């Protein structure tokens, strides 16, 4: 899979003068920590006359977690969770904890 290596983070908003400067902004998703240039990964655009951008910020947080979600899926698919003698319940608890940590960062 060829994506910008993660970790990514939401890094504020900027005015998008290309649109209506009073109502359009971009939420930036960048590499975390920054590298030497090329740190912008994605932009989540939103237009809001009342300044409500909660949904777009949530979208940006979800986008920023893509590397962690891919890592989690790889771990679930290819790596054993827990000790070799762990019970199914312990393995399930480990996977659940891992997934909840990602969801918490998005929410």
């Amino acid at each position: 899979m060829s994506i910008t290596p993660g970790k990514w983070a939401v890094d504020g908003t900027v005015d998008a003068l290309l649109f209506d400067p009073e109502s359009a902004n971009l939420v930036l998703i960048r590499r975390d920590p920054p590298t030497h240039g090329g740190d912008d990964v994605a932009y989540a655009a939103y237009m809001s006359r009342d300044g409500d951008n909660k949904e777009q910020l949530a979208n940006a947080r979800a986008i920023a977690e893509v590397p962690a979600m891919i890592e989690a899926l790889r771990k679930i698919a290819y790596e054993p969770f827990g000790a070799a003698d762990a019970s199914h319940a312990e393995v399930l608890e480990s996977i659940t904890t891992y997934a909840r940590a990602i969801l918490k960062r998005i929410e």
Side-chain angles (χ1 to χ4, degrees), residues 79-97:
E79 298 176 19
F81 271 83
D85 60 347
S87 69
H88 291 302
E90 290 169 328
V91 170
L92 183 57
E93 178 62 29
S94 180
I95 292 169
T96 302
T97 300

Side-chain angles (χ1 to χ4, degrees), residues 70-84:
I70 291 170
E71 180 184 332
L73 290 172
R74 283 186 178 137
K75 191 169 185 175
I76 291 167
Y78 300 116
E79 298 176 19
F81 271 83

Side-chain angles (χ1 to χ4, degrees), residues 2-60:
S2 188
I3 66 168
T4 302
K7 181 177 178 190
W8 302 347
V10 175
D11 190 26
T13 61
V14 294
D15 290 334
L17 299 177
L18 179 64
F19 304 107
D20 179 353
E22 294 181 10
S23 62
N25 290 290
L26 297 174
V27 180
L28 304 177
I29 298 98
R30 293 191 169 150
R31 285 179 165 200
D32 182 31
T35 60
H36 299 322
D39 292 326
D40 292 359
V41 174
Y43 307 94
Y46 69 92
M47 296 187 71
S48 172
R49 297 243 179 243
D50 63 4
D52 182 9
N53 66 342
K54 290 182 185 89
E55 183 177 338
Q56 287 70 24
L57 288 171
N59 291 343

